[in-house]
Amino acid sequence: MIYGTNDLSIYERFASEWWDPESPRFRSLQKVTEFRVQQIDTWFGSVEGASVVDLGCGGGLLSVPMIERGADVVGVDLSSGSLATAAGMSEGRGRYLQGDIRNVGLPSACADFVLLADVLDHIEDYFKALSEARRLLKPGGLLYVNTINRTFR
């Protein structure tokens, strides 16, 4: 079930909080990041030298660890403030593009891995995002999809 679209103003107004452990807005995402990175390490193996596209990258909670592991990362997000935070945290490594994850301005079959974390529950036509992720993957490439369950619990 889709609970509605994202209020992008949150990501602009609070972009500086993506990596702040005291942030009430991003604390839950920060807490699951280590687990997600471990999943990616286990399921994908080494990303060193691999091309990774992080769709809906936000402030770079997944793209920065991928860069630290030697991946060539392109992060895509609608929020320019969040992209600036991701670029700052990656210390000039990686590439960050402002755009809609349902229609990314990247060539087909350009990625060994595509990451889609915490975005599908925010868009109504998530099949378009999944289709775009598939388009970006090289033959044999891997897709990582993950999100937090938006139930009360």
Side-chain angles (χ1 to χ4, degrees), residues 31 44 47 50 59 62 71 78 90 97-101 110 112 115-116 128 143 150:
K31 298 257 185 230
F44 291 5
V47 297
L62 283 179
L78 283 173
S90 67
L97 307 172
Q98 187 173 13
D100 188 326
I101 66 168
C110 67
D112 297 304
L115 311 177
L116 266 170
K128 287 183 181 178
L143 172 64
R150 296 185 72 177

Side-chain angles (χ1 to χ4, degrees), residues 10-38:
I10 292 169
Y11 302 101
E12 292 300 325
R13 286 192 324 262
F14 304 106
S16 65
E17 294 183 16
W18 273 102
W19 294 83
D20 178 357
E22 301 302 316
S23 171
R25 281 157 283 282
F26 301 117
R27 188 175 17 227
S28 62
L29 294 175
Q30 294 165 5
K31 298 257 185 230
V32 298
T33 295
E34 183 178 341
F35 171 74
R36 289 176 173 168
V37 170
Q38 288 174 353

Side-chain angles (χ1 to χ4, degrees), residues 8-19 26 56-61 63-64 76-89 96-98:
L8 279 180
S9 68
I10 292 169
Y11 302 101
E12 292 300 325
R13 286 192 324 262
F14 304 106
S16 65
E17 294 183 16
W18 273 102
W19 294 83
F26 301 117
C57 68
L61 294 179
S63 59
V64 171
V76 180
D77 203 281
L78 283 173
S79 168
S80 61
S82 293
L83 289 168
T85 297
M89 290 303 295
Y96 294 94
L97 307 172
Q98 187 173 13

